[in-house]
Amino acid sequence: MWNSYKVNKDFNVTQIYSLFESHFDSTYAFNGETHNFWECVYIKKGRISASGNERVFSLKEGNLIFHKPLELHKFSVENSEGAELFIFSFALEGNVSPHLKYNVFSLNTEQKKIIEEFTDYIKKENPSYLLAPQKETMYLNEGIKKPKYLPIVSLFIEMLILSLSQNKKTLLTDSSPNAATFTKAVNYMNNHISSHPSIEDIAAFCNISTTGLKRIFSKYAGLGIHKYFLKMKINAAIELLKDGHTISDTAFMLGFSNQGYFSYVFKRETGKQPSYYKK
């Protein structure tokens, strides 16, 4: 008689959006973005400063960070030799532990082996990268023409996530004064998401000049303060709409003058009407 054991899977990778390796020069600073899917950045060589919402981390070789959907994120290279990064973005269905959402990782030997086997596989399936080495190598060109390529890519990502879910928490926060000020400013903005604090209000709370605050947001967010705050409001609106709030209530709760103006700004920033997220 055979025993059977049910396989419980908390999540599945359902979409792949990007998959590449790149060398970034010492002066490189990514302008920052937000999108409705996950992104993973693995540091192969060098050091970077990475921010995600109010979090700022100092990451080095062997470290990895996940940016959850709708997280405002940015990075800049922090060493003179530049940095080599492996980056991939994807969509998930199911539940992912908060341990994964709000953490960065220092990979152990087993997890580095998963990354190594992952990159070996995608290079093998995209052989043209050997013929014309470039600063940036994309692995969604040749491979996607092969039926099994994306399913195997998704399995590597799932295997890495499952391994990381067993890690103890890793603290790699940037403790510099500027990073602390950025975190303090974003937390203040979160606490005043329903109102309209001025740059002067935020700077006064952080005990810094407006010029200094703007410089810090340029470094860690890649956006102006007003634009960053607007994106925070839009992300908050998406969560409220998903939770069942009406468009009118959402506009009011986030301090917009009326529903029409809220819908106009929402469509301009996301490309979709607010009703899309109520579905």
Side-chain angles (χ1 to χ4, degrees):
M1 183 173 181
W2 295 93
N3 293 324
S4 65
Y5 303 91
K6 184 178 180 181
V7 177
N8 294 311
K9 294 186 70 175
D10 293 329
F11 64 91
N12 292 292
V13 172
T14 59
Q15 302 281 337
I16 306 294
Y17 293 90
S18 66
L19 182 65
F20 66 97
E21 292 178 294
S22 187
H23 174 84
F24 297 92
D25 295 331
S26 59
T27 58
Y28 184 85
F30 177 57
N31 285 331
E33 64 180 357
T34 179
H35 42 62
N36 196 27
F37 46 84
W38 289 83
E39 183 171 298
C40 177
V41 179
Y42 175 65
I43 296 81
K44 296 179 64 180
K45 290 184 180 179
R47 296 193 313 275
I48 67 170
S49 173
S51 60
N53 289 345
E54 77 284 359
R55 309 175 305 155
V56 181
F57 297 100
S58 181
L59 306 177
K60 62 182 181 179
E61 183 176 333
N63 294 159
L64 178 149
I65 184 170
F66 284 99
H67 296 295
K68 63 183 182 293
L70 302 179
E71 184 173 73
L72 293 159
H73 57 277
K74 180 186 185 297
F75 75 86
S76 57
V77 177
E78 294 286 295
N79 64 305
S80 58
E81 295 82 14
E84 292 184 19
L85 307 180
F86 176 43
I87 300 174
F88 52 92
S89 56
F90 55 95
L92 287 174
E93 284 184 354
N95 298 317
V96 178
S97 166
H99 180 76
L100 181 67
K101 291 183 181 180
Y102 304 107
N103 202 5
V104 295
F105 301 91
S106 182
L107 270 59
N108 60 31
T109 302
E110 173 194 335
Q111 292 152 357
K112 289 179 181 178
K113 183 69 173 176
I114 294 172
I115 291 283
E116 182 181 339
E117 292 177 351
F118 187 5
T119 54
D120 284 348
Y121 171 74
I122 58 180
K123 287 175 181 178
K124 179 173 67 72
E125 297 299 313
N126 294 272
S128 64
Y129 89 97
L130 290 171
L131 302 177
Q134 300 175 359
K135 283 181 62 177
E136 183 169 276
T137 306
M138 309 297 293
Y139 297 117
L140 290 177
N141 295 327
E142 298 165 277
I144 58 173
K145 300 172 185 176
K146 304 172 184 179
K148 295 180 181 179
Y149 181 69
L150 290 181
I152 292 175
V153 166
S154 70
L155 286 174
F156 272 114
I157 296 173
E158 291 172 4
M159 185 162 50
L160 179 63
I161 292 173
L162 284 170
S163 179
L164 291 170
S165 68
Q166 302 174 57
N167 272 33
K168 293 181 179 179
K169 188 172 183 181
T170 302
L171 295 176
L172 299 166
T173 51
D174 186 338
S175 58
S176 67
N178 283 345
T181 298
F182 177 75
T183 298
K184 187 175 182 180
V186 175
N187 285 334
Y188 178 86
M189 294 156 76
N190 265 321
N191 291 333
H192 294 79
I193 197 72
S194 62
S195 57
H196 302 279
S198 66
I199 295 177
E200 290 75 16
D201 292 333
I202 302 168
F205 177 78
C206 295
N207 196 28
I208 191 175
S209 68
T210 56
T211 301
L213 187 65
K214 290 176 182 178
R215 185 168 57 249
I216 286 172
F217 267 76
S218 177
K219 175 178 175 61
Y220 292 115
L223 296 170
I225 298 170
H226 284 309
K227 185 69 171 180
Y228 189 91
F229 193 39
L230 177 59
K231 286 187 175 295
M232 288 176 64
K233 283 180 177 281
I234 295 299
N235 288 349
I238 291 172
E239 296 302 324
L240 288 169
L241 292 166
K242 286 181 176 179
D243 286 343
H245 292 277
T246 66
I247 297 172
S248 177
D249 284 347
T250 299
F252 175 76
M253 292 167 70
L254 294 173
F256 286 87
S257 56
N258 58 69
Q259 179 179 330
Y261 179 64
F262 166 70
S263 295
Y264 163 75
V265 172
F266 192 96
K267 175 70 182 302
R268 185 189 68 196
E269 295 297 317
T270 67
K272 295 181 173 64
Q273 295 289 351
S275 56
Y276 172 85
Y277 288 95
K278 286 191 67 61
K279 297 177 182 178

